[in-house]
Structures are given as structure tokens and as C-alpha cells.
């Protein structure tokens, strides 16, 4: 399943791009993410806990920033499993960045594949949850950058 959205971050493109070198800060912006373990400069393991319908999921994920073009594009690939639910998830998230006035426009293309018990909720519910998490993360990145700008002023 896929979704595409555009979001605005109220920070200069250079500030947004600088976060690609601070993955722990970015990871902290993802709703439900915990137990972060950096496995490399551009990779980490974590657990993402979310409620999907009436079921709480705890996906153990491995994420890698697989493809970047400085100041233009970042792609994150992740895959993982919730052993209790017997469910798997694989995701590819592509973020295209562009200056937009005094901020940054982010075009998001996300492709998610879900199997197992969690998939029984249907694509629409799962896609809505995936979009909710991604857009929540972008709102949190916007807040993080605003706090960083305020602390240096």
C-alpha cells in the first residue's frame, strides 16, 4: 500500500538536511518509537508501538537510510516483525526536499507491505495509521527545529 503527501517544515532546507546526520534526534520524533539502538552511522534497530484498531502492535524494526542526495532526497528502508502478532512490516519512505520561501517543502512517498494478523485490519486502516505516524513525525521534526532555533537566538 502506498501514500503520498506534501508537508511543510518551518525551517531552512539546510537545517532540515542537517538532521540526516542526527538520526537519534529524528528517531525521537517518531511517535511510538522506543528502545533505539544505533547500529551504524545511518542505521538503527528499534521498537515501534502503535495501536491499530483494537490491537496494540510492537514491531521490532531495523531501519537504514539507504539513499541520499544532499539537500534533495533521503530514503529510509525498514523492516521488522511483531512476534506476538505474527505480523511483518516492510516500508520504503522517500523524502524529497525543496526550499519553499523561508521553510522546506517535503514530498513524501511511502510504500508499506504488511503481512500476518495485523494485515486483517485491511489496507485502509493500516494506510491511515502509517500516514498518521509519518505525518506526526514530521510535525515533531518541525517542533524540534523550532526549539533548536529558539535556543540559539
Amino acid at each position: 500500500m502506498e501514500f503520498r503527501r506534501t508537508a511543510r517544515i518551518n525551517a531552512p532546507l539546510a537545517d532540515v538536511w542537517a538532521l540526516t546526520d542526527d538520526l537519534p534526534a529524528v528517531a525521537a520524533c517518531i511517535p511510538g518509537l522506543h528502545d533505539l539502538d544505533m547500529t551504524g552511522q545511518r542505521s538503527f534497530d528499534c521498537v515501534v508501538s502503535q495501536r491499530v484498531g483494537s490491537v496494540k502492535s510492537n514491531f521490532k524494526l531495523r531501519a537504514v537510510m539507504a539513499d541520499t542526495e544532499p539537500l534533495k532526497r533521503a530514503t529510509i528502508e525498514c523492516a521488522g516483525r511483531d512476534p506476538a502478532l505474527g505480523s511483518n512490516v516492510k516500508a520504503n519512505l522517500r523524502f524529497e526536499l525543496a526550499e519553499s520561501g523561508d521553510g522546506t517543502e517535503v514530498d513524501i512517498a511511502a510504500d508499506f507491505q504488511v503481512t500476518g494478523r495485523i494485515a486483517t485490519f485491511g489496507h485502509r486502516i493500516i494506510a491511515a495509521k502509517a500516514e498518521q505516524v509519518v505525518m506526526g513525525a514530521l510535525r515533531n521534526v518541525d517542533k524540534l527545529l523550532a526549539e533548536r532555533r529558539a535556543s540559539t537566538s
Side-chain angles (χ1 to χ4, degrees), residues 23-94:
L23 288 184
V26 174
C29 292
I30 300 170
L33 188 144
H34 54 95
D35 296 341
L36 178 68
D37 178 25
M38 295 300 299
T39 57
Q41 183 179 356
R42 298 218 181 262
S43 61
F44 60 89
D45 293 341
C46 66
V47 176
V48 175
S49 300
Q50 294 290 325
R51 186 161 291 285
V52 180
S54 61
V55 174
K56 184 169 182 178
S57 64
N58 293 292
F59 280 94
K60 296 176 183 174
L61 299 176
R62 172 158 289 160
V64 176
M65 187 173 295
D67 177 36
T68 61
E69 183 177 347
L71 299 173
K72 292 186 179 181
R73 180 185 66 245
T75 301
I76 298 173
E77 297 173 353
C78 63
R81 178 167 176 73
D82 181 327
L85 292 178
S87 297
N88 298 296
V89 65
K90 186 175 182 181
N92 183 295
L93 300 107
R94 183 176 172 122

Side-chain angles (χ1 to χ4, degrees), residues 122-133:
H123 290 293
R124 208 165 73 168
I125 291 171
I126 295 169
K129 175 53 81 171
E131 180 179 352
Q132 178 186 20
V133 171

